[in-house]
Amino acid sequence: MTLLEQFVDTMKKGDNVALADLFDDYGVLHDSSLLKIGKDAMHLEGKMAVEMMFHHKFGFNGGPFPIHGVQYRSENTVWYFISYNGQVVPVTAILSEVTEGGKIKRMNIYPL
C-alpha cells in the first residue's frame, strides 16, 4: 500500500495513532478544505500534533470521517469527497515532501 493509500485508509478508519505514524516527527499537515464549511484552515506541525488533533477530531466527529469517491491521480496526489458534519467537500491531497525513510514531511489538502 502506498503512503497516500495508507493516509486515506487511516482517515477512513479513524485511527489517529496510525495516521500520526505516517508523518515524520516534524512533518506538516496543512488542510485548507475546512474553509469550505466556514472553519479555519488546519495547520499541524509534528507527528504528536497530528495524533492529538485527530484524536480530538475523530472523537467529536463520532468516528472516522466519511470519505468516498477516491481517485488516485498520481503517486503524490489523490482526490476524494470528505464529509464534515454532513457537509460534503471535494478535496485534493498532495504529498509535497516525503522523507528518505518514507514518512510524510509535508502534506497539503485543498478544496477543489
Side-chain angles (χ1 to χ4, degrees):
M1 191 179 292
T2 68
L3 193 55
L4 210 47
E5 289 170 333
Q6 291 175 64
F7 173 80
V8 171
D9 187 56
T10 59
M11 289 289 288
K12 283 182 171 182
K13 289 179 179 174
D15 189 340
N16 61 298
V17 174
L19 177 65
D21 282 342
L22 299 175
F23 284 81
D24 178 71
D25 288 342
Y26 304 100
V28 172
L29 173 61
H30 182 84
D31 185 349
S32 59
S33 70
L34 296 163
L35 296 171
K36 285 285 194 178
I37 61 165
K39 303 284 185 185
D40 292 331
M42 178 174 52
H43 185 85
L44 304 173
E45 294 188 28
K47 178 179 180 172
M48 184 181 286
V50 172
E51 183 175 345
M52 292 175 71
M53 177 59 81
F54 279 90
H55 171 77
H56 176 77
K57 291 237 178 243
F58 292 143
F60 280 103
N61 190 51
F65 287 98
I67 293 176
H68 59 279
V70 178
Q71 292 184 13
Y72 294 95
R73 306 303 290 177
S74 72
E75 184 178 310
N76 296 323
T77 305
V78 62
W79 291 352
Y80 55 86
F81 295 93
I82 186 166
S83 295
Y84 297 114
N85 297 321
Q87 292 181 289
V88 178
V89 179
V91 303
T92 184
I94 302 167
L95 280 175
S96 300
E97 289 183 72
V98 177
T99 67
E100 286 184 20
K103 298 288 184 175
I104 298 170
K105 190 169 183 177
R106 182 171 184 98
M107 174 175 275
N108 294 302
I109 302 173
Y110 303 106
L112 288 174

